Amino acid sequence: MQAGYATKQRESQDRNMSQSQRQAIFITGAASGMGRETAMLFAGKGWFVGATDVNEGGLKTLEQVLGSENCWIRKLDVTAKPDFEAALAAFTEKSGGRLDLMFNNAGIGESGWFEDVPYEAAMRVVQINFVGALNGAYAALPWLKKTPNSLLFTTSSSSATYGMPRIAVYAATKHAVKGLTEALSIEWARHGVRVADVLPGLIDTAILRSTP
């Protein structure tokens, strides 16, 4: 009995050691679009993928594609900071404490003349696109600091280059993301953490098709 227990403990330790040597990425908005494609890309390169979204069905189909040994999925509303922190704690337990790349990707859009977009809808864009990115930065920093050469990476937008009509609030959130990224790239250098963003143009994804 004791020999069998010792063997199981060694196997568990070996698995944990192996997992801690595998690079890990945590993705928000991973059920579709850029997030899903990023998950597939990094899993194909041997990374352990944490995939989160409010779309549980999309996460489950992603897990079927990647294999449960290569990914960890969880429903996550990025506007809820305690849930974000709990999700990262659970993921890093699976990744052996590693967080090489935190990808703040979750986002939504609303279009129309400024005064025609309901206030509640505009605030939802702000909460997901910018507050969600803030929550991700706050929640991820402790784990990024523990992982050498780690990166906080956020999806901004080409609309962050200048204010675009009929997507005023969306563009404003992406300007905010860009400004936050530029500031943190300087601040977090003292922690050895890199910070960057991407400014994609129009891409045929769920967010584009669902934006009125």
Side-chain angles (χ1 to χ4, degrees), residues 107-126:
I108 63 169
E110 288 283 346
S111 66
W113 301 118
F114 177 79
E115 65 271 21
D116 293 336
V117 176
Y119 175 80
E120 293 76 13
M123 288 300 100
R124 184 68 177 158
V125 173
V126 172

Side-chain angles (χ1 to χ4, degrees), residues 9-67:
Q9 277 199 318
R10 283 196 301 272
E11 290 174 350
S12 176
Q13 290 169 354
D14 289 344
R15 282 194 299 270
N16 290 338
M17 183 177 296
S18 176
Q19 194 66 280
S20 68
Q21 295 170 350
R22 189 179 185 187
Q23 289 177 296
I25 179 173
F26 186 98
I27 306 170
T28 65
S32 63
M34 289 175 55
R36 188 182 185 93
E37 292 300 317
T38 301
M40 295 175 66
L41 173 68
F42 278 80
K45 294 180 179 295
W47 287 49
F48 184 61
V49 175
T52 65
D53 206 298
V54 293
N55 178 359
E56 292 182 279
L59 290 176
K60 289 177 181 177
T61 61
L62 177 63
E63 183 182 39
Q64 291 171 358
V65 172
L66 300 184

Side-chain angles (χ1 to χ4, degrees), residues 102-184:
M102 171 68 206
F103 185 20
N104 271 326
N105 174 68
I108 63 169
E110 288 283 346
S111 66
W113 301 118
F114 177 79
E115 65 271 21
D116 293 336
V117 176
Y119 175 80
E120 293 76 13
M123 288 300 100
R124 184 68 177 158
V125 173
V126 172
Q127 286 292 315
I128 294 176
N129 293 6
F130 184 57
V131 176
L134 276 178
N135 288 341
Y138 276 114
L141 180 57
W143 306 104
L144 292 169
K145 288 167 66 175
K146 295 177 182 178
T147 309
N149 200 38
S150 59
L151 171 66
L152 172 68
F153 192 66
T154 305
T155 300
S156 182
S157 168
S158 59
S159 67
T161 57
Y162 62 93
M164 294 186 179
R166 293 181 60 82
I167 55 168
V169 175
Y170 176 86
T173 63
K174 295 305 183 177
H175 274 80
V177 164
K178 188 170 183 291
L180 178 69
T181 299
E182 291 172 354
L184 291 185

